[in-house]
């Protein structure tokens, strides 16, 4: 199985500041034939189901604010929130969809400092 | 508006069975793969199973293979998860998820664009 490891486990950032969450896969999730990274990011607020933010490592889902961006390739990926808003408090998960079983990172809890 | 409404969860004894349902609306159900993803209390997300739009292809995580069966009834816009030989470690909130499905020469690739509110399954004596 592909193991997804996120860092840090928790993060406290001031309002308006940048938040950066990292995700590392145990093997590459880049498919060379189409040059696509099979990596998605989700946001889960307390008591709610997850919400898709980013797919193909850097494609923002429709309706997601542009302060959210994804980057990286191969085994190392980053989710960046450029200017933290109060409503961004949540747990964030990365997920690989390169091969089954589709696996998630352990989650990063983002709080306001 | 996409809506996914799970039902069928509850308390079951170890070794018992339970069937979850997920009623879908707001999209053409048969055009989309669907999946089940679970979350143990206070823990992270774990993919359980997926099924193609036609129902002809199914996929399972090893930890449920042989015990869980995913199926769908496209005439009823409903997804199912039949769970048997349940164990304490199956205790979780089970989410059904509308699945974005991409196919290339390496096979199918699933990620999840809409999620239901979840249904709690508790396996305990």
């Amino acid at each position: 199985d592909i193991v997804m490891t996120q860092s840090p486990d928790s993060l406290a950032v001031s309002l308006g500041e940048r938040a950066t969450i990292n995700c590392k896969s145990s093997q590459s999730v880049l498919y060379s034939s189409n040059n696509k990274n099979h990596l998605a990011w989700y946001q889960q607020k307390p008591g709610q189901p997850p919400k898709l933010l980013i797919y193909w490592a850097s494609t923002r889902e429709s309706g997601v604010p542009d302060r959210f961006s994804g980057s990286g390739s191969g085994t190392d990926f980053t989710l960046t929130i450029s200017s933290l808003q109060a409503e961004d408090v949540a747990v964030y998960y990365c997920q690989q969809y390169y091969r089954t079983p589709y696996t998630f990172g352990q989650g990063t809890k983002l709080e306001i400092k | 508006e996409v809506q996914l409404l799970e039902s069928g969860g509850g308390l079951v004894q170890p070794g018992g069975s339970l069937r979850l349902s997920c009623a879908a609306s707001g999209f053409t159900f048969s055009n989309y793969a669907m999946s089940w993803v679970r979350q143990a209390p206070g823990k992270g997300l774990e993919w359980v199973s997926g099924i193609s739009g036609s129902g002809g292809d199914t996929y399972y995580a090893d930890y449920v293979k042989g015990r869980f069966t995913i199926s769908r009834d496209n005439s009823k816009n409903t997804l199912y998860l039949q769970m048997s030989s349940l164990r304490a470690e199956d205790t979780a909130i089970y989410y059904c998820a509308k699945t974005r499905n991409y196919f290339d020469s390496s096979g199918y690739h699933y990620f999840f664009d809409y999620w239901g509110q979840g249904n709690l399954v508790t396996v305990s004596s």
Side-chain angles (χ1 to χ4, degrees), chain B residues 2-3 7 9 17 19 28 35 54 63 68 77 87-88 90 94-95 101 107-108 119:
Chain B
V2 172
Q3 292 195 0
S7 60
S17 299
R19 188 177 83 157
T28 304
S35 301
S54 67
Y63 34 83
F68 290 12
N77 289 351
R87 307 165 180 166
D90 295 318
Y94 284 73
Y95 295 101
N101 176 19
Y108 286 95
N119 205 236

Side-chain angles (χ1 to χ4, degrees), chain A residues 4-9 21-24 39-46 48-55 68 77-79 81 90-97 103-110, chain B residues 37-46 95 112 115:
Chain A
M4 308 299 290
T5 304
Q6 292 179 226
S7 62
D9 289 333
I21 298 170
N22 301 301
C23 174
K24 188 175 184 68
L39 190 284
W41 288 97
Y42 301 86
Q43 174 194 64
Q44 187 176 32
K45 296 182 179 180
Q48 295 185 20
K51 173 187 174 183
L52 176 65
L53 296 176
I54 303 280
Y55 56 97
F68 290 90
F77 301 91
T78 300
L79 175 70
I81 307 171
V91 178
Y92 292 84
Y93 294 93
C94 60
Q95 178 231 334
Q96 67 80 18
Y97 49 99
T103 48
F104 295 84
Q106 81 277 16
T108 295
K109 186 175 184 179
L110 178 58
Chain B
V37 179
R38 69 186 184 185
Q39 186 170 35
K43 302 297 184 182
L45 300 168
E46 190 173 62
Y95 295 101
F112 317 110
W115 300 60

